[in-house]
Amino acid sequence: MSLPQSSQQRVVVGIDGSDAAINAAKWAVTEAISRDVPLRLVHAIPQREPDGAANDASLDIEYGQAALRAACTAVNAMGTPVKIDTDLVHGSPASVLIDESDYAAMICIGSIGIDQLARRILGSTAATVAEKAHCPVAVIRHNREGADPNSGWVAVVVDDSPGNDAVLEHGFREARLRDAPILAMGVWRWGLGEIPYRQLDDRLRRWVSEYREVNVLPAAARSGAAEFLSGTDQSVQLAVVDSSDADQVARIVGPINSHFGHEGCSVLVVRS
């Protein structure tokens, strides 16, 4: 499906009928409003063989329409004024969302956690889109009942790579949007675990000056964002990483069963 160039600024959410997808749509409302763009809810209808049963195709459409209605109802119940577009698109969920990413400001996907075995053997929509989309991708973790999705740190990777300014810009923007402090993960390999304060200060100076209302705490993450987040005892609501870390989305989001160890968090993959 091709969209007109004027459609490029919209926030797209993949809707599959799950509570996790509805949670992602609700999370994305703030993104759409902050950009003054529509919230586009998309349901992917699987391609069927030409000689397949006609009633199967009809059921697919009915299910998709019901899923989109449920998501719209949940968003409207928030009482926040946002324009909502909905669409049924033929194709696999991953291919549909990757195509949508050509004309989106952000893609949002819900997840209750990514099963590691499924990730290795079959792949998952969230991980595949995070790795291959052409715009930022937010994989929104649907946590236990009653957990506040906007509580905790926004953890942001800080390094000296060419694309890190884009990561910092998105990270500070998310922190301000969600009234959250930033956990600045310095990923330089440095000394015996100490934080490279001078390098962190140099990289953060511009953004700290621009976002004076955002509190920032430096943290040593010498083994990378995924390793740091899997072991931290800090409550993190969102990790903001570069596309070079897209293959770590499954680990950052965490496993489906999080009764033991790292519960996981939402992740925003930024493309510079």
Side-chain angles (χ1 to χ4, degrees):
M1 180 188 69
S2 62
L3 295 172
Q5 188 65 28
S6 60
S7 299
Q8 187 162 358
Q9 290 306 306
R10 57 182 61 196
V11 175
V12 178
V13 185
I15 300 297
D16 60 6
S18 67
D19 289 342
I22 290 177
N23 182 61
K26 293 164 70 175
W27 185 92
V29 167
T30 301
E31 299 294 333
I33 290 175
S34 69
R35 293 171 170 81
D36 193 23
V37 299
L39 183 68
R40 177 171 166 81
L41 308 180
V42 177
H43 177 82
I45 300 177
Q47 299 281 11
R48 294 193 178 274
E49 296 298 327
D51 57 352
N55 62 331
D56 287 344
S58 296
L59 288 173
D60 289 339
I61 293 173
E62 289 179 15
Y63 179 83
Q65 291 172 336
L68 290 172
R69 282 196 302 270
C72 286
T73 298
V75 170
N76 287 328
M78 296 173 66
T80 308
V82 61
K83 181 180 178 181
I84 304 175
D85 296 333
T86 64
D87 203 358
L88 296 172
V89 185
H90 288 274
S92 71
S95 64
V96 165
L97 292 175
I98 290 169
D99 287 345
E100 289 279 339
S101 74
D102 285 331
Y103 305 95
M106 181 182 289
I107 299 288
C108 297
I109 307 170
S111 176
I112 60 171
I114 299 175
D115 181 86
Q116 298 298 314
L117 182 61
R119 174 68 184 90
R120 288 197 300 270
I121 298 176
L122 302 176
S124 72
T125 298
T128 300
V129 175
E131 292 178 23
K132 298 183 178 180
H134 308 128
C135 70
V137 175
V139 181
I140 306 306
R141 169 92 192 196
H142 187 47
N143 287 322
R144 64 189 181 278
E145 191 70 24
D148 183 356
N150 292 320
S151 174
W153 298 86
V154 171
V156 183
V157 167
V158 186
D159 60 26
D160 55 0
S161 66
N164 191 235
D165 273 334
V167 174
L168 291 173
E169 180 178 11
H170 278 80
F172 274 84
R173 182 179 182 277
E174 291 297 330
R176 182 165 66 183
L177 271 179
R178 302 179 189 283
D179 194 23
I182 278 184
L183 195 61
M185 300 182 292
V187 298
W188 289 278
R189 295 189 178 278
W190 187 267
L192 296 175
E194 69 268 24
I195 301 171
Y197 287 106
R198 183 175 63 81
Q199 287 91 331
L200 273 170
D201 286 344
D202 288 346
R203 294 293 298 120
L204 293 170
R205 184 175 296 110
R206 169 188 171 187
W207 305 105
V208 169
S209 175
E210 184 173 341
Y211 294 82
R212 294 183 181 276
E213 71 276 31
V214 176
N215 292 323
V216 180
L217 175 68
R222 298 171 62 230
S223 298
E227 182 70 21
F228 173 82
L229 292 168
S230 67
T232 185
D233 57 0
Q234 300 284 358
S235 175
V236 176
Q237 60 171 289
L238 179 70
V240 184
V241 303
D242 184 72
S243 56
S244 61
D245 287 321
D247 61 344
Q248 296 296 310
V249 164
R251 187 175 180 190
I252 296 172
V253 171
I256 292 173
N257 184 345
S258 58
H259 293 300
F260 302 97
H262 174 52
E263 183 173 270
C265 64
S266 301
V267 56
L268 174 60
V269 178
V270 176
R271 279 168 175 75
S272 55

